């Protein structure tokens, strides 16, 4: 009987450990997404896997961006919505 309780406790501990690891991974991914939400032109080209010339064309087609001073910044969330609306 004692052996079964130990196995049960071990299974519960393993389940708790897996849950904690998954929670931490989700939290880290969320934080990375928030920190990397606004991109410069090169980061946007890398994100979309397109050239700078193609990015300029897409801006002409309405790709959303914001101006911070004289610098364009591209919102990853707005870009994803824009792309989805064009499919």
């Amino acid at each position: 009987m004692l052996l079964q309780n130990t196995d049960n406790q071990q299974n519960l501990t393993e389940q708790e450990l897996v849950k904690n690891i998954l929670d931490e991974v989700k939290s880290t991914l969320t934080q990375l997404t928030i920190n990397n939400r606004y991109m410069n032109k090169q980061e946007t080209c890398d994100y979309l896997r397109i050239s700078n010339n193609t990015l300029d064309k897409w801006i002409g087609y309405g790709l959303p961006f914001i101006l911070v001073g004289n610098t364009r910044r591209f919102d990853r969330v707005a870009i994803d919505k824009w792309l989805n609306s064009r499919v």
Side-chain angles (χ1 to χ4, degrees), residues 9 41 59 65 67 69 73 79-80 84 86:
Q9 290 172 343
K41 278 187 86 173
I59 291 169
F65 65 89
L67 283 175
R73 292 287 181 218
I79 288 173
D80 290 343
N84 287 328
R86 300 182 61 87

Side-chain angles (χ1 to χ4, degrees), residues 11-25:
N11 285 339
L12 288 174
T13 302
E14 288 173 359
Q15 289 172 359
E16 288 177 25
L17 180 61
V18 168
K19 182 189 177 304
N20 289 340
I21 290 171
L22 288 175
D23 289 345
E24 189 62 33
V25 168

Side-chain angles (χ1 to χ4, degrees), residues 23-35:
D23 289 345
E24 189 62 33
V25 168
K26 287 177 186 176
S27 173
T28 301
L29 286 174
T30 300
Q31 195 60 37
L32 284 173
T33 301
I34 291 169
N35 290 341

Side-chain angles (χ1 to χ4, degrees), residues 38-83:
Y38 297 97
M39 305 173 287
N40 63 27
K41 278 187 86 173
Q42 185 59 53
E43 292 167 334
T44 304
C45 288
D46 293 343
Y47 175 66
L48 295 172
R49 297 182 182 172
I50 59 175
S51 70
N52 189 54
N53 289 340
T54 300
L55 181 62
D56 289 336
K57 287 179 189 175
W58 287 15
I59 291 169
Y61 297 148
L63 182 76
F65 65 89
I66 59 173
L67 283 175
V68 178
N70 292 329
T71 305
R72 289 181 182 169
R73 292 287 181 218
F74 300 86
D75 180 356
R76 189 180 305 265
V77 173
I79 288 173
D80 290 343
K81 286 181 183 178
W82 184 78
L83 289 170

